[in-house]
Amino acid sequence: IIHWYKQKEGEAPERLLFFSGGKVTTESGFQANRYLVERISVQKQCVLTIKDVIPDDAATYYCACWDPHLWSSWIKYFGMGTKLIVSEKGSSPPANSEILQKKLENQIMYVCLIEKFYPEVIRVTWTDDKKEVTDNVVKGDTWRSTKEDEYSIASWLTVPAESKDKKYYCKYEHEEEKASLPTQVDSVKTAPQEEDCRTVFNRGNLLDQLMHRTAYLVYIILLLKSSMYYLIVLFFIYR
């Protein structure tokens, strides 16, 4: 049984319908004739089609299904979600994409900057020659450019200085375009060491995002360390 949920921004998700035995059961409040569900067993896919889209359909849609867990309980697993944006404006691919490089003391920071695309939904990942890289990767939130209805995003990867000759790729997927940017090419811009860091990362307030993210992580680490010390002290006191 495949369930479909609809979640509008700032609201709790609500079940839209569920699909079982080739039959679609729509929850009250939704027009059943506007939703078509098709299950493709060979490809392990379930496709939801919304007909005659209206502005109120703008939301993030999730598929979900129940699965037995440890033979005693059930867990409902959700998909990653698909964001639907209803707009009269046509979509447009990124107008510019590049990788900025900054050498730190014992590290190298690669910043993948993707600018001026619409809509704001985009997926950005880092890979090496073999697999996706997830360690030491931070993805920023999309921000609106000075021009209305154009968005930009940045993602940065930090690697040890000894990996300077290793090639990494920043990959992005937008509904209008897919691309892969390598780090070891002439287009990678390196900031002079004497240049102010703010000059390098001023576009889109990228430095502010980095500082905010770093401060947040440091705060979490200090909070965890304080909690650990507190528990140790309590242990010896009550012992």
Side-chain angles (χ1 to χ4, degrees), residues 7 14 23 25 46 53 64 66 76 80 87 97 101 105 113 137 144 163 169-170 181-183 196 200 209 219 230:
Q7 183 176 23
E14 55 181 339
K23 180 182 177 182
T25 302
C46 185
V53 172
W66 287 101
K76 181 172 281 189
M80 295 177 61
S87 172
S97 57
Q101 174 181 309
E105 184 176 353
L113 182 62
V137 171
R144 188 188 294 268
S163 299
Y169 299 87
C170 173
L181 308 176
T183 55
D196 191 331
V200 181
Q209 293 188 41
Y219 171 77
Y230 177 73

Side-chain angles (χ1 to χ4, degrees), residues 37-232:
V37 180
E38 180 184 10
R39 186 169 185 173
I40 308 173
S41 300
V42 176
Q43 300 179 11
K44 297 183 179 179
Q45 291 183 350
C46 185
V47 181
L48 170 65
T49 301
I50 304 175
K51 298 185 292 184
D52 302 323
V53 172
I54 59 176
D56 189 60
D57 292 324
T60 301
Y61 292 82
Y62 299 90
C63 61
C65 65
W66 287 101
D67 193 58
H69 179 65
L70 299 179
W71 303 280
S72 60
S73 61
W74 290 74
I75 292 180
K76 181 172 281 189
Y77 289 96
F78 284 76
M80 295 177 61
T82 300
K83 187 173 183 178
L84 172 62
I85 297 173
V86 182
S87 172
E88 295 181 355
K89 178 180 172 63
S91 58
S92 57
N96 177 63
S97 57
E98 59 185 342
I99 294 180
L100 308 175
Q101 174 181 309
K102 181 68 177 179
K103 292 183 179 179
L104 307 176
E105 184 176 353
N106 297 312
Q107 298 176 319
I108 299 176
M109 178 183 291
Y110 296 112
V111 180
C112 183
L113 182 62
I114 306 164
E115 298 180 289
K116 299 179 181 179
F117 53 86
Y118 183 84
E120 67 265 34
V121 180
I122 193 169
R123 178 178 292 129
V124 182
T125 57
W126 288 90
T127 64
D128 54 21
D129 289 326
K130 298 180 180 179
K131 62 184 185 305
E132 181 177 349
V133 178
T134 56
D135 292 338
N136 301 314
V137 171
V138 179
K139 179 185 175 184
D141 297 326
T142 55
W143 70 84
R144 188 188 294 268
S145 304
T146 53
K147 183 178 178 181
E148 187 178 1
D149 289 339
E150 285 188 345
Y151 294 85
S152 300
I153 194 172
S155 177
W156 46 96
L157 167 68
T158 304
V159 300
E162 54 265 28
S163 299
K164 63 179 181 178
D165 296 326
K166 186 174 182 179
K167 182 179 289 187
Y168 296 91
Y169 299 87
C170 173
K171 295 185 177 182
Y172 69 82
E173 298 178 50
H174 186 263
E175 65 177 68
E176 286 293 326
E177 183 178 80
K178 296 181 181 180
S180 179
L181 308 176
T183 55
Q184 301 298 329
V185 292
D186 294 337
S187 61
V188 176
K189 298 184 178 180
T190 303
Q193 292 301 308
E194 66 275 7
E195 186 175 2
D196 191 331
C197 204
R198 185 174 295 276
T199 303
V200 181
F201 298 127
N202 62 352
R203 297 161 77 175
N205 294 321
L206 191 54
L207 180 61
D208 292 339
Q209 293 188 41
L210 284 168
M211 294 176 63
H212 176 77
R213 182 74 178 185
T214 303
Y216 175 77
L217 293 176
V218 171
Y219 171 77
I220 293 297
I221 292 173
L222 292 176
L223 184 63
L224 291 174
K225 289 178 65 177
S226 299
S227 300
M228 182 180 67
Y229 293 149
Y230 177 73
L231 292 175
I232 293 175

